[in-house]
Amino acid sequence: SSAASDVYKRQFLAISKKVDTSIGLGFAVIFVLTITAPTNWAMNKYFLQDGALAWAGFPDVNLSFLNFIVFISVIAAMVQLVEMILDKFSPTLYQSLGIFLPLIAVNCAILGTSLFMQTREYNFSESLVFGFRSGIGWYLAIMAMAAILHKLKYADLPRGLSGFAINMIVTGLI
C-alpha cells in the first residue's frame, strides 16, 4: 500500500541522512539478520517442512503454509530483543533511532533473507553466514547512502535535483 511504502521510504531516507544513526541501525540490522536466518532455518527444518514433525509422531503433517507468519513472528521477536538491549545499554542510540528501530521488522531485506535461505535449502551454518553477510551488505548500503547524502547536503545542486529528487537518484545508483 501507499502508506507502507511511505513508511519504508521515510525509514531508509531519514536514517541514512545521519551517519552516526546509520551506524547504529546498521549494527541492529546485522544482529537481527544474524539471529533470524538460523532461527528461521530451525523453525522451518523442525516444525514447518513436509514431514518435519515426524519426531513428534506426525510424519504426514505439512505446516509450510505458515512460513511467512512464523518467519515474521521470529523477526518481530528479534527486533523487540534489539530494542530492549539498546534501551538498557545505549539509551542515547535508542532515542536517536526512535520509531525507525521497530520498522526493522517490516524491512523487506530481513524477510527476504529468511526466504532466500529457505529457497536455497541452506543448512544451519550456511544460514548463519548468509544472515550475517546479508546484514553486512545492508550496513554497507546504508552507510554509503548516509555518506553520499551528507556530502550532497553541502553541494550546489540545481533546484530541480535538490532534496528528495537527488535522494532517489542516489538510491537508484546504489
Side-chain angles (χ1 to χ4, degrees):
S1 80
S2 174
S5 72
D6 188 47
V7 167
Y8 180 74
K9 179 172 51 177
R10 279 186 276 140
Q11 175 195 12
F12 182 69
L13 296 176
I15 289 299
S16 64
K17 290 180 182 177
K18 297 179 181 176
V19 176
D20 293 341
T21 309
S22 293
I23 292 170
L25 186 63
F27 282 123
V29 169
I30 290 170
F31 177 78
V32 168
L33 278 170
T34 302
I35 299 300
T36 58
T39 303
N40 282 335
W41 174 87
M43 295 298 289
N44 186 50
K45 173 86 173 162
Y46 296 111
F47 296 104
L48 302 175
Q49 284 181 356
D50 188 20
L53 291 175
W55 60 268
F58 302 105
D60 298 328
V61 174
N62 181 1
L63 298 177
S64 63
F65 65 92
L66 295 173
N67 276 341
F68 284 110
I69 294 169
V70 171
F71 288 0
I72 290 170
S73 298
V74 168
I75 291 165
M78 292 306 132
V79 170
Q80 287 296 312
L81 178 66
V82 168
E83 277 192 270
M84 291 187 296
I85 291 170
L86 284 179
D87 190 24
K88 176 77 175 168
F89 296 106
S90 182
T92 307
L93 179 58
Y94 178 76
Q95 291 298 321
S96 70
L97 290 174
I99 188 65
F100 301 108
L101 190 57
L103 290 176
I104 292 173
V106 295
N107 188 324
C108 297
I110 308 293
L111 179 59
T113 299
S114 290
L115 293 174
F116 278 135
M117 172 267 316
Q118 175 198 15
T119 302
R120 294 173 180 169
E121 299 179 1
Y122 288 158
N123 61 32
F124 180 80
S125 59
E126 289 171 331
S127 66
L128 179 71
V129 171
F130 182 66
F132 177 73
R133 288 185 174 182
S134 296
I136 295 293
W138 197 93
Y139 172 81
L140 292 174
I142 199 78
M143 287 304 300
M145 184 77 175
I148 291 168
L149 291 179
H150 180 73
K151 288 289 190 183
L152 286 174
K153 188 170 30 174
Y154 302 107
D156 186 25
L157 296 171
R159 182 178 159 104
L161 285 179
S162 62
F164 187 71
I166 196 67
N167 289 350
M168 290 294 98
I169 292 170
V170 170
T171 302
L173 292 173
I174 288 180

